[in-house]
Amino acid sequence: MRVILRRQNILIAKQNRSTRVFSRPLYFFVLVVVCLSSISCTFQQKKRIFRRDELLMDTVVSIQIVCRDPGKAKHLLDKSFVLARKLADQMNSHNSNSEISQVNMKAFSEPVVISKDLERVIKKSLAISRISHGAFDITVAPLLRLWPIYKANKFTIPDRKKLDEAIGLVGWQNIELDALNHTIHFKRKGMAIDLGGIAKGYIVDRIVDYLKRNGIKGALVNAGGDIYALGRAVGGELWRVGIQHPRQHHKLIAILEVENKAVVTSGDYERFLIKDGVRYTHIVDPRTGFTVRKTASVTLVGDDTAFIDGLATAIMVVGATEGYKILGGVHDVDGLFVTEKKEGKLDFRWTPHFITYVSWASFLTKNNKPELKRPHSSIH
Ligand code: ADP
Ligand code: MG
């Protein structure tokens, strides 16, 4: 029965998300990850879980907090969404008035003073670029413009010359951050930044910080598949996070149980366009200029949502084998990499510690099950 309830939750999430984006010719599907715990908690102790969902950044942002006082919960939810909206506005490069758009317009001519938040998120982005050898690069904006996957009728594969010109403008090393004066400067004319690969994770972290500072011990914050699970759910239970099957949208491939962890999934099945049988996604490989084809989805578990948001995007670019190596050099981040081999046939790889978060997974057999925290049956 509880499983059925959870499945209904998935459908609700799909309806919410699609309300805004279905006018576009692109298929937007269900949220990558669906949070499962809250439904059962709500049923058991209605008073202590408070939840609100809003459409933001083309996705559903959902905040659940464990709290005794409805007045306090309402206030914190109000303030959390004010914060989320403010940050989303600052980092939206599609709005010409946003802070990041101002940077894109002016930072070649002169150093531009930026807010603390922008400075932090750009600094973190540069660190991820270094770790991923440039697979994650926020200066991919000129390349992204060449792939209008959101406009199916206008979509054509860009010619090589245009791609090469745009690649010439990409390069995280050409961003100069001045930590003393809090400025940013672009070394190359025509450069531009897109924060789509990290902004959501950063916003999740900022909301969690805000809730913690206000005495909240348990919360689940989800921005379209970028999740932070703070403390525990009602009744001291771990938070349960379902990972969606990248090809069968009503199915899950795993359920994780976590506390004080970020769980981020990046995939090729939410924002994409299929033309002549080829799937074009919203993530581009800064080296080839093409949209990525290697990986169906990447789920990372770590401590810092923004960091693993960017890292998951990077691994979408480099694929499972390289991704595995990258995680080898990073402290305390574990991952599950899903690759489509033949039409619909998936291949799963994971780092050894990832399994400790899994309470159920479709891809585990008797041979690799013993490390599981709980037997499969406990989730039904
Ligand atoms: P989602 O936003 O669906 O959760 P991601 O976190 O993987 O997915 O971010 C994808 C977004 O990142 C794209 O929409 C684009 O704005 C940006 N992006 C695309 N390719 C790159 C890249 N190679 N490096 C950094 N950002 C990228
Ligand atoms: Mg990302």
Side-chain angles (χ1 to χ4, degrees), residues 40 63 74 101 146 178 187 198 244 259 263 266 310-311 315 341 348 379:
S40 54
I63 306 177
K74 184 189 174 304
S101 292
L146 297 178
D178 180 341
K187 288 201 224 163
I198 191 167
Q244 196 179 308
E259 71 176 309
V263 181
S266 187
L311 211 53
I315 295 174
K341 289 294 171 201
F348 298 91
I379 61 155

Side-chain angles (χ1 to χ4, degrees), residues 215-228:
I216 294 298
K217 302 265 186 310
L220 196 80
V221 181
N222 180 1
D226 290 5
I227 292 174
Y228 192 90

